[in-house]
Amino acid sequence: MNLACGIEYDGTDYAGFQRQPESHGPTVQGVLEAAIARISGTMSVVHGAGRTDAGVHASGQVIHFRTVSHLTPEVWMRALNAIMPSTVAVRWIKEVPEAFHARYSALSRSYRYTIWNDVARSPLIARYSYHRPQELVVDLMNEACQALLGRKDFGAFGRSPEETNPRKPGPHSCIRTMLEASCVRQDARIYYDFTADAFLTGMVRRIVGTLLLVGQKRLSFDEFAAIVQRANKTHPGSAAPAHGLCLVRVSYPKEFGV
């Protein structure tokens, strides 16, 4: 069977989604693979739709794995949630066609970055938001988001995930299609929402870090748009911390039923 799962996790204590050498710390992929092996008695490779960085969370990550086990999806879900740590949960699971691949079949991914914009910090959401007490002009940041839309080189904000793969020497493209980009305020929370066909490593966090300069009126719309157009990593925006970022949704063609 080829099984697809919707996964939610608190990334605080993980060295990212992707399996790493043990010295780097635990990973979400490692936790999932260990749990699957414990249930089925055989090792299955888990493939994720997004390879989130260390400290990044997910409410809508999608993974798939293949297994010779005849357990039903319902039994798999109960069994996995019973033995995995409380920081990782399977929200849904279903059998999918053999052609389905969590990463390569995806049409788009959506990320949300959360700012807590208040003088006082909020301990209850501190693990999932970036506290910025300074005044931020949301309308300016939302306007700047429009410069991100479309198919373009996003090299100013990240690098291709393939750059660290010795089997893929390059050249590595930083061209992606940004389908949605917005910034809105809800009380003390500021949400940055981005949907693209794929993302570069560190891309959302550095976009947010640069948009914060716009929100503080330290960078104009034209200056931000020029950074996007030049696709040069040398610019004043720095990456926002990982703990404010969450992978919230992955979209697939309807024929997969995911």
Side-chain angles (χ1 to χ4, degrees):
M1 286 193 297
N2 191 21
L3 295 175
C5 309
I7 306 296
E8 181 174 320
Y9 52 84
D10 178 334
T12 304
D13 300 324
Y14 293 100
F17 176 84
Q18 194 170 12
R19 193 189 315 109
Q20 305 280 345
E22 288 188 9
S23 60
H24 292 193
T27 64
V28 178
Q29 183 184 22
V31 165
L32 288 164
E33 289 178 344
I36 292 166
R38 181 175 167 186
I39 294 166
S40 67
T42 58
M43 183 66 184
S44 295
V45 176
V46 165
H47 302 273
R51 292 176 285 187
T52 54
D53 294 337
V56 176
H57 315 292
S59 60
Q61 172 74 283
V62 176
I63 63 110
H64 86 273
F65 67 94
R66 290 181 170 84
T67 178
V68 296
S69 168
H70 296 294
L71 297 176
T72 65
E74 294 76 17
V75 172
W76 267 109
M77 183 168 170
R78 289 197 300 271
L80 286 168
N81 284 334
I83 64 174
M84 288 193 301
S86 61
T87 48
V88 182
V90 178
R91 299 301 305 272
W92 56 262
I93 184 168
K94 61 180 64 177
E95 186 173 2
V96 289
E98 281 298 311
F100 176 84
H101 192 287
R103 180 184 176 193
Y104 298 119
S105 300
L107 296 174
S108 66
R109 290 95 170 152
S110 298
Y111 282 88
R112 165 167 280 189
Y113 196 95
T114 303
I115 297 282
W116 179 255
N117 188 215
D118 191 78
V119 175
R121 66 185 184 277
S122 173
L124 292 181
I125 67 165
R127 289 165 68 99
Y128 314 108
S129 65
Y130 177 30
H131 178 219
R132 291 299 296 260
Q134 303 93 340
E135 181 180 353
L136 295 169
V137 184
V138 172
D139 287 346
L140 292 178
M141 293 187 288
N142 187 57
E143 181 185 9
C145 281
Q146 309 318 300
L148 298 166
L149 296 173
R151 187 160 183 81
K152 56 194 65 182
D153 189 333
F154 285 96
F157 303 110
R159 57 183 176 82
S160 168
E162 308 298 348
E163 285 186 21
T164 57
N165 189 341
R167 292 176 296 180
K168 296 185 178 181
H172 302 105
S173 175
C174 290
I175 295 176
R176 300 292 188 269
T177 302
M178 186 72 76
L179 303 168
E180 299 175 9
S182 65
C183 177
V184 298
R185 178 187 292 277
Q186 292 183 10
D187 299 321
R189 291 177 173 87
I190 296 174
Y191 296 121
Y192 303 84
D193 290 300
F194 305 99
T195 298
D197 57 351
F199 287 86
L200 303 173
T201 301
M203 178 173 160
V204 174
R205 292 169 54 202
R206 196 153 191 222
I207 286 175
V208 171
T210 310
L211 285 171
L212 284 170
L213 297 178
V214 176
Q216 296 173 75
K217 299 182 179 180
R218 295 169 55 191
L219 203 66
S220 70
F221 173 88
D222 289 341
E223 289 169 326
F224 180 83
I227 289 171
V228 177
Q229 185 174 6
R230 286 197 301 268
N232 190 319
K233 291 179 175 58
T234 304
H235 63 84
S238 58
H243 65 272
L245 184 59
C246 186
L247 172 58
V248 297
R249 187 175 68 253
V250 185
S251 298
Y252 294 93
K254 291 182 179 179
E255 60 261 30
F256 290 122
V258 174

